Amino acid sequence: MATILAFAETRDGALRPVAAEVVSAARSLADEVGAQVVALVVGGPGTADAASDLARLGADRILVAEAESLSVYQPDLAVEILAGVVGDSDPTAVLFAASAQGKDLSARAAAHLGLALASEVTDIEVADGTPVVTRPMYGGKAYGRFRFLGAPALISIRPNVFSVSESPGEGSVETLPVSEATVPRTRVVGMEAAARAALDVREAPMVVAGGRGLQDADNWGLLEDLVAALGDGATLGASRAVVDAGWRPHSEQVGQTGKVVSPNLYFAVGISGAIQHLAGMRTAGVIVAVNKDPEAPIFGVANYGVVGDLFEILPVLTEEVRVARGA
Amino acid sequence: MRSIVCVKRVPDSEARVRIAGDGSAIDSSGVKYVMNPYDEFALEQALQLKEAAGEGTVTAITLGSDEAKETLRSALAMGADEGVLLRSDGSMDGLVVARALADEISQREFDLVLFGKQAIDDDNMQVPAMVAQLLSLPCATVVVDMTLDSGTVTAKREVEGGHEIVEFELPGVIAAQKGLNEPRYPSLKGIMAAKRKPLEEKDVTVSEPGLELLGLAPPPARPEPQIVGEGPEVVPELVRRLREEAKVL
Ligand SMILES: Cc1cc2nc3c(=O)[nH]c(=O)nc-3n(C[C@H](O)[C@H](O)[C@H](O)COP(=O)(O)OP(=O)(O)OC[C@H]3O[C@@H](n4cnc5c(N)ncnc54)[C@H](O)[C@@H]3O)c2cc1C
Ligand SMILES: Nc1ncnc2c1ncn2[C@@H]1O[C@H](COP(=O)(O)O)[C@@H](O)[C@H]1O
């Protein structure tokens, strides 16, 4: 039977949120071409237990490579394991998340296997039994549609774009042998967590982003209050102006030289909407702009705009959101 | 310290992108082209490493059309010692580019190969890791900080929710993210000196692509913007629309 392979990403023995999106997208593609979904999960101790959850999202077979040495992403080992699975299962397509890990691994795998890779894909169709993908280019100023000329098609999907749906698959869990022989050329020796253990702006379904209009790093409490009112799925974002000013870390920067985000809900507060900022957020579901300048370009892409002083608007907004969410 | 930096000529990030009539390419008329901004971080890093070592070379390589010589001149003006143009026209997927670059790099002696993390035209974010894989070199992508100590590179990679610390021995590959350094501006002296620096040109035949562009289209239109109103008074109405109309709260 034809196979769609889904690389389901883990960290610290747990599935990452994007893993569900990748397996769900693989399920839809598999249903369209009449294929089974094989999920590959590579990680440290505990991974096998966590991985069984993927059956719920449509995985027919779940292949688990579990070892202490895989607790952190080890690119050389991961490529080897993945290449082995591709060789055995001869998939029509291999899906990755366009995450830090997924992008690194998919590019290495493409070179290793001599296959083309389409990254940051936002849509997958099927034509003549093979995937046709759409992906943003030029900072989202154009979208390209591409056909794969060979198989398997390697695809990384943009986080937060493909929806997660339940569609139970067979879900048998099989353990893959992990060879201890490979000496990694590149060694991952540690992780430094961000100061705030926050949801990454690329993966959060709701983003509250602030710009120079906030006037000072000390005013960020206003945005943090709104994040708190929005609840678990919300996190902070920033324009480059405030990152360059040192008010916020670069990891929060949204835009062409920051991160590209596609949350369901994006608040642009005191952000003018420069073209390089729009490059990072124009695919958000709903954009809300708060700006005192009615001519600010951000209003051109916002679904909803409120003109006015953010220092007056934000506290009211936070309160109204809190009430609306019944918190 | 011998470094190779791969630089690409791309439309300026301010450029308005128009799609040519048949949807096969962007219309480049009136578009200003620059060195890919991330490649400036890579080049700056190579220059700093050479300066710290007190000796070495920095070679800038680009794959593209004749016009890409401009980008090499900018690299030379910033301080690179030599430039190499691999001349080939047409659109290429990431692996095609990586193979051509890897081929050239493999014929050279080097300690470190530096890339930008992403070219802002194709937005592939593929080439650096592919080149590393093709050449069996260690590699760190999306690097925001690196140190070099007796042949060992320690690099900090940006990942979701923090940074990964990665180590490898030279020779190796890094791909630069913003934050790695502050790229210098070419001095007038540098611009003059660039004219006398060696710039090698060769025609290359690239491999067959694995992806075919079916067409380019403008981004999906965003819904007609609504100005809800002015001042804090309209906030309840905004929240109502977010709940009832957009259903996002
Ligand atoms: C190569 C390149 C790459 C770039 N990459 C990025 C990127 O990745 N991300 C990015 O964001 N930018 C990027 N930029 C920078 C971009 O061009 C803008 O300079 C930047 O986005 C501006 O940030 P801002 O909107 O916070 O500030 P400003 O443009 O200064 O806007 C501040 C806004 O706040 C509003 N305001 C002020 N006070 C108030 C108030 N009290 N209440 C309400 N509104 C108020 C103002 O009306 C204004 O619209 C890049 C630029 C270049 C050249
Ligand atoms: N045509 C090219 N010539 C030279 N370097 C390139 C070329 N294309 C990509 N690169 C390098 O690879 C990096 C990542 O590009 P990409 O994978 O296309 O996003 C760029 O920042 C450059 O350093």
Side-chain angles (χ1 to χ4, degrees):
Chain A
M1 187 176 196
T3 294
I4 305 294
L5 182 60
F7 182 81
E9 203 170 304
T10 65
R11 192 188 280 170
D12 301 330
L15 290 168
R16 301 205 55 249
V18 284
E21 296 170 25
V22 170
V23 173
S24 269
R27 183 73 259 167
S28 325
L29 179 57
D31 288 345
E32 230 171 310
V33 299
Q36 62 166 347
V37 173
V38 176
L40 171 60
V41 194
V42 176
T47 300
D49 291 340
S52 56
D53 190 42
L54 296 174
R56 195 170 55 79
L57 303 166
D60 297 308
R61 289 173 63 204
I62 302 167
L63 309 181
V64 182
E66 184 180 297
E68 189 62 52
S69 58
L70 298 172
S71 297
V72 285
Y73 168 57
Q74 296 290 0
D76 297 305
L77 304 178
V79 168
E80 198 167 288
I81 295 166
L82 179 74
V85 172
V86 170
D88 290 341
S89 60
D90 189 24
T92 307
V94 187
L95 268 53
F96 302 84
S99 56
Q101 189 183 121
K103 282 191 159 176
D104 192 84
L105 176 62
S106 58
R108 289 175 195 253
H112 186 77
L113 298 163
L115 296 168
L117 164 67
S119 20
E120 292 273 353
V121 162
T122 54
D123 188 51
I124 307 176
E125 313 151 64
V126 176
D128 302 329
T130 56
V132 169
V133 295
T134 301
R135 53 182 304 271
M137 299 165 73
Y138 299 93
K141 292 182 230 171
Y143 277 58
R145 267 178 88 232
F146 294 88
R147 183 166 76 96
F148 282 88
L149 299 172
L154 303 193
I155 297 169
S156 72
I157 62 169
R158 177 169 286 186
N160 267 330
V161 172
F162 290 82
S163 54
V164 172
S165 54
E166 307 229 346
S167 162
E170 208 132 309
S172 63
V173 178
E174 300 158 46
T175 312
L176 295 177
V178 179
S179 144
E180 302 287 337
T182 307
V183 180
R185 291 189 288 260
T186 313
R187 302 177 296 275
V188 177
V189 294
M191 252 305 272
E192 259 176 26
R196 254 164 40 101
L199 198 55
D200 192 80
V201 66
R202 233 173 109 69
E203 294 177 353
M206 292 181 278
V207 173
V208 178
R212 186 141 48 196
L214 271 109
Q215 289 170 10
D216 196 287
D218 293 344
N219 294 331
W220 242 258
L222 277 176
L223 301 188
E224 283 166 0
D225 290 347
L226 179 54
V227 165
L230 288 165
D232 276 348
T235 198
L236 290 171
S239 74
R240 172 161 167 182
V242 303
V243 171
D244 285 353
W247 300 353
R248 303 304 304 172
H250 180 255
S251 57
E252 287 177 11
Q253 184 181 317
V254 171
Q256 189 140 24
T257 38
K259 290 177 178 165
V260 176
V261 304
S262 290
N264 302 328
L265 179 57
Y266 187 88
F267 289 91
V269 182
I271 292 178
S272 58
I275 193 157
Q276 298 92 350
H277 188 80
L278 302 185
M281 41 66 81
R282 64 174 308 143
T283 57
V286 172
I287 297 170
V288 177
V290 177
N291 199 301
K292 68 176 182 191
D293 172 10
E295 302 296 323
I298 192 72
F299 288 123
V301 299
N303 301 63
Y304 302 103
V306 175
V307 179
D309 184 355
L310 69 91
F311 294 99
E312 293 173 13
I313 291 166
L314 260 273
V316 183
L317 180 56
T318 299
E319 193 44 42
E320 289 287 328
V321 167
R322 204 173 274 141
V323 171
R325 292 182 49 91
Chain B
M1 186 72 200
R2 296 155 306 176
S3 295
I4 295 177
V5 186
C6 294
V7 295
K8 187 177 190 189
R9 177 177 182 267
V10 298
D12 184 75
S13 69
E14 294 275 353
R16 271 195 53 206
V17 166
R18 288 178 314 266
I19 294 158
D22 62 355
S24 67
I26 67 158
D27 178 356
S28 59
S29 59
V31 173
K32 181 180 160 218
Y33 281 80
V34 296
M35 182 190 299
N36 183 40
Y38 296 107
D39 303 354
E40 292 184 3
F41 300 115
L43 178 53
E44 176 63 36
Q45 196 65 23
L47 296 171
Q48 288 185 13
L49 287 168
K50 176 184 156 184
E51 286 157 8
E55 47 86 36
T57 52
V58 175
T59 304
I61 301 183
T62 193
L63 169 69
S65 62
D66 251 330
E67 284 121 335
K69 266 191 278 187
E70 271 171 43
T71 312
L72 291 176
R73 291 273 175 230
S74 314
L76 296 174
M78 268 177 79
D81 300 296
E82 52 173 348
V84 181
L85 169 65
L86 306 176
R87 197 183 300 108
S88 178
D89 277 315
S91 67
M92 302 168 220
D93 61 42
L95 187 55
V96 173
V97 173
R99 281 177 172 145
L101 292 173
D103 207 32
E104 175 64 28
I105 292 165
S106 68
Q107 294 168 38
R108 297 178 168 267
E109 293 192 359
F110 60 87
D111 299 301
L112 190 63
V113 188
L114 301 99
F115 294 87
K117 69 142 191 167
Q118 176 173 1
I120 65 164
D121 51 359
D122 291 341
D123 285 331
N124 274 333
M125 218 171 160
Q126 298 179 358
V127 172
M130 284 176 167
V131 169
Q133 194 73 31
L134 292 170
L135 298 176
S136 300
L137 291 171
C139 167
T141 49
V142 209
V143 170
V144 293
D145 187 40
M146 75 163 270
T147 55
L148 175 61
D149 186 15
S150 39
T152 302
V153 170
T154 305
K156 210 165 151 176
R157 299 185 61 220
E158 199 173 81
V159 301
E160 293 82 6
H163 293 99
E164 222 169 60
I165 315 296
V166 172
E167 252 178 34
F168 62 79
E169 267 78 55
L170 294 179
V173 170
I174 69 154
Q177 163 69 313
K178 179 180 180 251
L180 181 58
N181 51 45
E182 242 349 289
R184 67 195 66 186
Y185 288 101
S187 62
L188 192 58
K189 202 165 134 239
I191 296 169
M192 297 309 289
K195 299 196 171 118
R196 294 185 305 274
K197 288 179 177 171
L199 200 162
E200 194 183 333
E201 298 174 40
K202 35 176 138 173
D203 292 306
V204 296
T205 313
V206 298
S207 61
E208 286 298 313
L211 277 170
E212 181 193 0
L213 177 67
L214 299 175
L216 285 174
R222 291 209 57 91
E224 195 55 34
Q226 302 179 19
I227 297 288
V228 181
E230 249 189 87
E233 307 80 69
V234 303
V235 168
E237 173 59 14
L238 167 71
V239 171
R240 189 193 66 76
R241 290 194 206 174
L242 289 175
R243 257 170 78 104
E244 293 171 16
E245 205 174 83
K247 301 194 167 50
V248 285
L249 281 183

